[in-house]
Amino acid sequence: MYDFKKIEKYWQNYWNKNQTFAAKNGSEKEKYYLLVEFPYPSGAGLHVGHARSYTALDTVARQKRMEGYNVLFPMGWDAFGAPAEQYAIKNHIHPKDAVKENIKTFKAQIEELGISFDWNREFSTTDPEYYKWTQWQFLQFYKHGMAYKAKKNINWCPKCKSGLSNEDAAGGVCERCGTKVVQKEKEQWMLKMSDYAEDLIEGLKDTNFSKRVKLGQINWIGKSEGAEINFEIENEKEKIKVYTTRPDTIYGATFMVIAPEHPIINKLENKIKNMDKVKEYQEFAKTKTEFERTELSKEKTGVKLEGINAINPFTNKSIEIWISDYVMMNYGTGAIMAVPAHDNRDYEFATKFNIKVIKVIEGDTTPYIGEGKYINSDILNGLTNKTEAINKMIEEIKKRKIGDKKINYRLQDWVFSRQRFWGEPIPLVYCEKCGWQPVNEEDLPVLLPDVANYEPTENGESPLAGIDTWVNTVCPKCGAKAKRETDTMPNWAGSSWYFLRYMDPKNDKEFVSKDALNYWGKVDWYDGGMEHTARHLLYARFWNQFLYNIGLVPNKEPIDIRTSHGMILGPDGEKMSKSKGNVINPHDMIEEYGADALRLYEMFIGDYEKDAAWSTNSLKGCKRFLDRLWKIGDKLNDQKGYTKESLAHKTIKKVTNDIKSMKFNTAISALMIMLNEYDEQKTITKDDLRLIVHLLNPFAPHITEEINKKYNLGKPLCESLWPKYDEEKTIDETCEIIFQVNGKLRGKETVNINISKEEMEKIAKENENVKKFIQDKEIVKIIIVPGRLVNIVVK
RNA sequence: GCUUGUGUGGCGGAAUUGGUAGACGCGCACGACUCAAAAUCGUGUGGCUUUAGCCGUGUGGGUUCGAUUCCCACCACGAGCACCA
């Protein structure tokens, strides 16, 4: 047999030595930019899921190169973030050393897979040469008024004295120590992402994302159209503004609910008679975590504001005002008009607290919002069309000057601060006299200092706050004593623009040169995990749209096609995890079966966009295919051309198209069919063999090159042009047609492809079995589809 | 709850614009080789049955000469969002 380890090593060295996969900036060739999500280099090493994504786009990359494109297919490391920091805290080593080690492991594992990355462009988000430009771009946000500081509630672990991301606070407890998470108010840097809500929806039109990815984006942005309406408070000047998508139901608004944090409460504190109860409820709401608010509190809670009432502007009736945590301060106006007859939540609330329910839409089954004839609604009475009613109501609201049409988005501004050590320092300085000042651009990067302790401080500040020599600096504006911002950027920062840096990774004058931007343009195809199609993709698009708006990049949308691969599950069908003991390590598979077999299997496993359970037996099947391919060379004869002309052209066509449409499994299946056919033959030609190894090369690049070399079939495949097919030659001279009687299969026959309809009918009627089914019956109709079938309809 | 996918043999999965359902692979069974096993090779493999046939793509209906494919209703599973007014 063959020594796959030796072969794989040989070709990996060959590609490296010849710089086969180096992309060339400004090449005459047409460009194609393929991108996979750069990994977080964890200590666990490469996952078979990484291998799936990398192999998939590697297959595309290798095909594209053979088709004559200048392909950019880069790789790097997204290495800032909590896990490295925690590892450092535990083991008392600098995160940068831990990251260095992990990158080494990851890179070795990717290299042994034979992925055709252009390693010349490799970088890590933690390289000062890289994060210098992340900081520089943050300053552009700041200088354009897109970054601001605001008080925000964050998840807080009182024991670890640390802010936690929503992921780390899942289930309402600190992931690290299990302590109950509370909400704590903290000043945070924010990016004005909500300004871009509409653009981020609109921009999707300029992309070729799949439907589900687009919907994911739209869903996350959460656009809704409605109206803002002012409700007067009885005997007060103050008004409460509500947001509603159903102003047409206003005649049914029998009470009002405001968020517990609503500012009107403090303003009218001395008018509210039960302020102690209100305060108690506010405290109660505050201690509830996000988790409890959504998961546990199915039962509605709330407190009525005694002593003040609002006026429904259309019924002119006095209505109660309640506070409840089912109304959020951070959406809409933090206040709603409650229409219990036609809103499920309002209905639950009204039922619990015995509040009047007035129906305004006939036939609408409480408690769901619906459509029907308007009743009890004065100016709307008699209408039946929802849109018409809403429009009429908005007109009326405008006329009375009590409100206006309003569009709201769920998308909020991006909380950009982290109280952690292992992130890009935010390059701002606070001066008592001048306030916040950006660090001079020529002083970037603001380097992370070497410190002995990475733990967060007592009051939850980043560990950076404890390093006086680093914190104390001078004001870039006035030169007086000043302090550095000690918050760092979130993990998402570095990954929001890394695809731009690949175009020009060594540039120390600009984040990327104009020439490189103009040449490479958009990412043509970006593949990654489904878990990143919402947030990461949105952040990256937002970041790029901002750069576009200030004239730094040529395209508003940075990515053309986005695809998402399914997960690879353990053999038990469960998500792979150490605790379940179902983890498959790609390195072990490569050791035992070779990189080509692993690659082939991962592409053959099934629908690329769906999850799939691991099966080592199926992997063995792919290995078996490669073993048979290796042996088929024993059958070579001296003849030229293809032994099976139409099979050859058909297979070229199928493999070519299937790779482009990510139907890797059927491409491989076609090649298996081809090999099976070669097996049937006594001998095959060199052209036959060259063709199958050529078509298989993007999937199994090592063994195919080796076979090509072994039998002197031609130039190395990676330096050859992709095979072309002739459409005319994909058609066979004969075809099998079927005979049906009343739509049921009754016979078949192989005929010449050019046979006429009349002849087809004749052959069908002569078929013995068909005769049996049509004798003594009246023929009603005969349907003939050339090259396919004859269907005789009888009565 | 809303949005969105997906339902095909024992398993992963194939099936142009509606036109032979189950390609390809795994598994399994039998056979060859072997003292034996593994590996390899060969044959078979949706179910029920008598060559021929009947039933079969989640369930029920519809359109059609013909439906895995199109339409309607329902069921199940997965994913995303989730008290968003």
Side-chain angles (χ1 to χ4, degrees):
Chain A
M1 220 48 225
Y2 59 100
D3 182 346
F4 59 77
K5 281 187 191 169
K6 205 170 135 194
I7 291 170
E8 289 173 2
K9 198 90 227 134
Y10 173 87
W11 284 100
Q12 283 160 18
N13 284 335
Y14 179 93
W15 298 324
N16 191 26
K17 201 176 75 210
N18 291 285
Q19 287 291 296
T20 310
F21 310 126
K24 290 163 199 73
N25 275 25
S27 156
E28 301 274 289
K29 287 183 185 175
E30 199 175 331
K31 69 96 190 182
Y32 202 84
Y33 186 177
L34 286 159
L35 183 69
V36 288
E37 282 168 359
F38 61 166
Y40 179 81
S42 75
L46 202 72
H47 188 275
V48 285
H50 289 119
R52 189 184 200 184
S53 176
Y54 303 167
T55 306
L57 284 213
D58 185 46
T59 301
V60 178
R62 287 175 182 272
Q63 185 198 33
K64 282 277 174 197
R65 284 194 204 93
M66 289 193 267
E67 286 179 338
Y69 288 88
N70 179 29
V71 171
L72 174 54
F73 187 38
M75 178 45 85
W77 315 101
D78 188 16
F80 273 129
E85 183 171 306
Q86 251 138 69
Y87 183 83
I89 290 170
K90 214 167 150 191
N91 300 291
H92 294 283
I93 59 162
H94 197 290
K96 81 179 173 199
D97 297 325
V99 161
K100 211 176 187 177
E101 274 305 299
N102 288 345
I103 286 178
K104 217 172 120 188
T105 313
F106 255 74
K107 189 170 175 181
Q109 289 197 325
I110 294 173
E111 282 180 320
E112 69 181 0
L113 260 174
I115 307 293
S116 66
F117 289 129
D118 177 1
W119 287 108
N120 301 314
R121 293 169 188 258
E122 172 190 6
F123 60 80
S124 167
T125 51
T126 55
D127 296 340
E129 299 78 20
Y130 180 80
Y131 74 68
K132 168 183 175 171
W133 296 109
T134 310
Q135 291 175 335
W136 182 83
Q137 286 168 84
F138 174 82
L139 287 185
Q140 307 314 306
F141 278 104
Y142 183 78
K143 289 173 183 177
H144 286 83
M146 289 288 290
Y148 66 98
K149 220 167 191 197
K151 278 200 171 156
K152 269 282 174 195
N153 272 334
I154 60 165
N155 296 309
W156 175 259
C157 172
K159 189 165 171 232
C160 300
K161 303 209 164 27
S162 169
L164 301 172
S165 67
N166 281 337
E167 291 76 41
D168 293 337
V173 293
C174 173
E175 196 183 54
R176 238 186 304 167
C177 69
T179 308
K180 201 176 163 217
V181 173
V182 297
Q183 299 297 300
K184 188 183 165 110
E185 206 171 57
K186 238 188 156 310
E187 283 248 306
Q188 307 265 9
W189 284 102
M190 312 280 294
L191 293 187
K192 277 194 192 169
M193 190 153 152
S194 58
D195 279 10
Y196 278 66
E198 194 60 41
D199 280 357
L200 288 167
I201 294 173
E202 277 300 303
L204 291 171
K205 289 180 187 145
D206 299 325
T207 71
N208 285 302
F209 298 170
S210 67
K211 197 180 146 206
R212 72 167 173 171
V213 174
K214 281 189 183 179
L215 279 167
Q217 299 272 294
I218 289 168
N219 208 14
W220 195 274
I221 296 165
K223 181 178 181 172
S224 83
E225 293 181 41
E228 281 185 351
I229 308 166
N230 281 314
F231 278 54
E232 284 183 22
I233 301 172
E234 271 180 320
N235 309 318
E236 297 291 336
K237 276 191 198 137
E238 297 288 343
K239 286 174 185 154
I240 299 176
K241 190 187 271 180
V242 304
Y243 175 70
T244 177
T245 53
R246 295 298 300 267
D248 54 317
T249 61
I250 196 163
Y251 290 95
T254 52
F255 61 106
M256 175 180 263
V257 186
I258 65 175
E261 313 90 348
H262 200 285
I264 196 84
I265 298 167
N266 284 338
K267 280 187 193 162
L268 299 178
E269 198 168 354
N270 44 14
K271 301 278 164 52
I272 299 169
K273 288 178 186 154
N274 58 340
M275 205 52 206
D276 48 334
K277 274 206 164 164
V278 171
K279 283 211 164 121
E280 199 181 299
Y281 188 80
Q282 285 178 319
E283 280 308 306
F284 161 78
K286 199 190 233 172
T287 56
K288 275 213 269 182
T289 63
E290 201 73 17
F291 176 73
E292 288 169 313
R293 263 178 101 141
T294 56
E295 291 296 317
L296 300 178
S297 64
K298 295 294 175 203
E299 181 89 350
K300 293 275 180 291
T301 57
V303 172
K304 186 180 162 190
L305 299 183
E306 304 284 358
I308 58 168
N309 282 304
I311 300 162
N312 181 324
F314 281 80
T315 62
N316 290 319
K317 286 200 178 120
S318 175
I319 58 173
E320 297 165 352
I321 306 170
W322 289 70
I323 58 171
S324 174
D325 61 3
Y326 85 90
V327 174
M328 314 287 155
M329 198 56 227
N330 56 16
Y331 183 78
T333 59
I336 61 161
M337 59 173 215
V339 184
H342 305 285
D343 182 279
N344 196 22
R345 294 148 304 173
D346 299 345
Y347 179 76
E348 277 176 30
F349 196 86
T351 310
K352 179 158 179 189
F353 294 105
N354 286 316
I355 305 171
K356 201 172 174 187
V357 178
I358 295 174
K359 221 172 162 169
V360 291
I361 298 169
E362 202 173 60
D364 179 32
T365 32
T366 316
Y368 296 106
I369 289 179
E371 264 183 283
K373 191 174 160 193
Y374 288 83
I375 51 170
N376 301 325
S377 293
D378 192 12
I379 59 165
L380 299 180
N381 280 342
L383 291 182
T384 51
N385 182 287
K386 184 171 115 184
T387 319
E388 195 186 328
I390 290 174
N391 289 338
K392 185 162 182 184
M393 191 43 87
I394 287 173
E395 282 314 307
E396 191 63 25
I397 289 164
K398 279 199 215 163
K399 209 156 76 185
R400 298 195 193 182
K401 295 196 164 52
I402 55 167
D404 207 343
K405 203 170 176 167
K406 172 78 182 174
I407 292 169
N408 263 326
Y409 301 92
R410 231 174 280 189
L411 184 70
Q412 313 220 336
D413 284 346
W414 181 0
V415 182
F416 206 69
S417 285
R418 296 292 182 275
Q419 289 71 45
R420 298 201 169 268
F421 171 77
W422 192 231
E424 301 89 341
I426 291 178
L428 293 171
V429 168
Y430 188 76
C431 168
E432 291 289 341
K433 208 174 94 199
C434 313
W436 285 107
Q437 290 298 321
V439 170
N440 287 324
E441 288 183 6
E442 55 273 23
D443 293 335
L444 295 178
V446 176
L447 287 170
L448 273 173
D450 286 326
V451 290
N453 192 0
Y454 312 105
E455 315 258 358
T457 63
E458 275 296 297
N459 57 8
E461 303 275 287
S462 151
L464 291 172
I467 309 166
D468 290 343
T469 51
W470 187 82
V471 173
N472 293 317
T473 183
V474 291
C475 172
K477 196 176 172 193
C478 72
K481 278 188 184 170
K483 287 185 188 297
R484 288 188 190 282
E485 171 57 77
T486 59
D487 282 357
T488 54
M489 299 187 199
N491 218 167
W492 308 102
S495 58
S496 288
W497 72 281
Y498 75 113
F499 46 89
L500 298 174
R501 186 66 178 173
Y502 282 138
M503 298 174 183
D504 193 13
K506 303 281 193 292
N507 197 330
D508 58 359
K509 304 278 187 298
E510 298 166 276
F511 72 108
V512 48
S513 74
K514 279 262 177 310
D515 282 350
L517 278 166
N518 287 330
Y519 178 74
W520 291 109
K522 290 184 183 186
V523 174
D524 292 283
W525 186 342
Y526 188 20
D527 183 71
M530 198 55 213
E531 68 276 19
H532 291 131
T533 52
R535 295 181 73 182
H536 159 62
L537 198 59
L538 205 59
Y539 288 140
R541 292 179 56 228
F542 160 62
W543 195 287
N544 190 82
Q545 287 199 356
F546 167 72
L547 295 179
Y548 172 80
N549 285 347
I550 62 169
L552 292 180
V553 298
N555 295 299
K556 192 164 180 181
E557 286 294 334
I559 295 149
D560 187 32
I561 296 170
R562 163 74 191 199
T563 52
S564 308
H565 56 88
M567 251 191 301
I568 293 190
L569 308 170
D572 52 359
E574 300 286 326
K575 199 171 166 174
M576 284 188 195
S577 78
K578 250 188 200 158
S579 59
K580 287 201 200 95
N582 61 354
V583 176
I584 302 289
N585 185 334
H587 176 74
D588 299 343
M589 295 296 131
I590 291 170
E591 280 291 302
E592 198 165 349
Y593 306 102
D596 284 331
L598 175 63
R599 293 170 56 113
L600 196 61
Y601 168 60
E602 292 219 19
M603 294 301 95
F604 188 61
I605 197 166
D607 186 333
Y608 184 73
E609 300 217 301
K610 278 196 214 142
D611 292 353
W614 182 267
S615 157
T616 302
N617 271 330
S618 288
L619 167 57
K620 284 183 196 165
C622 290
K623 176 70 165 58
R624 202 171 295 152
F625 168 72
L626 294 176
D627 293 346
R628 285 172 56 216
L629 181 69
W630 179 262
K631 284 191 292 196
I632 204 81
D634 297 345
K635 286 186 164 189
L636 283 185
N637 60 29
D638 295 332
Q639 281 157 280
K640 288 212 178 306
Y642 299 133
T643 307
K644 291 256 172 174
E645 186 85 10
S646 75
L647 174 77
H649 287 270
K650 255 190 254 182
T651 309
I652 297 170
K653 184 178 176 181
K654 178 135 189 76
V655 174
T656 304
N657 296 333
D658 279 359
I659 291 176
K660 291 187 205 305
S661 52
M662 291 205 128
K663 288 157 86 179
F664 304 115
N665 52 343
T666 48
I668 292 166
S669 146
L671 291 166
M672 288 173 167
I673 292 167
M674 184 176 241
L675 184 65
N676 290 346
E677 187 58 42
Y678 288 2
D679 256 341
E680 303 270 303
Q681 306 294 322
K682 275 216 169 61
T683 62
I684 59 166
T685 69
K686 277 190 170 186
D687 289 323
D688 287 332
L689 185 57
R690 165 87 177 179
L691 180 63
I692 195 169
V693 294
H694 207 157
L695 293 175
L696 186 65
N697 177 263
F699 298 98
H702 313 88
I703 191 176
T704 48
E705 287 284 12
E706 188 67 21
I707 293 171
N708 185 63
K709 187 174 80 151
K710 186 181 174 197
Y711 297 101
N712 288 315
L713 303 178
K715 275 203 298 191
L717 299 165
C718 61
E719 292 156 25
S720 307
L721 282 177
W722 186 249
K724 284 203 162 57
Y725 64 91
D726 187 339
E727 185 68 50
E728 278 181 19
K729 289 182 181 161
T730 62
I731 298 156
D732 285 297
E733 285 194 356
T734 58
C735 65
E736 195 177 44
I737 58 168
I738 59 158
F739 309 130
Q740 296 178 328
V741 178
N742 286 349
K744 283 196 196 281
L745 180 66
R746 297 301 177 194
K748 47 180 99 170
E749 198 103 34
T750 302
V751 299
N752 188 291
I753 190 83
N754 294 318
I755 190 172
S756 70
K757 277 191 175 191
E758 290 72 25
E759 280 172 294
M760 280 174 76
E761 183 179 330
K762 198 171 148 234
I763 295 166
K765 283 180 176 163
E766 281 167 2
N767 183 285
E768 286 304 321
N769 202 39
V770 171
K771 272 188 193 166
K772 255 174 33 190
F773 284 89
I774 60 173
Q775 65 183 351
D776 306 329
K777 300 253 172 67
E778 183 194 341
I779 294 174
V780 181
K781 198 173 175 184
I782 298 178
I783 290 117
I784 299 164
V785 183
R788 266 187 202 283
L789 60 81
V790 179
N791 184 13
I792 302 169
V793 185
V794 296
K795 212 160 54 177

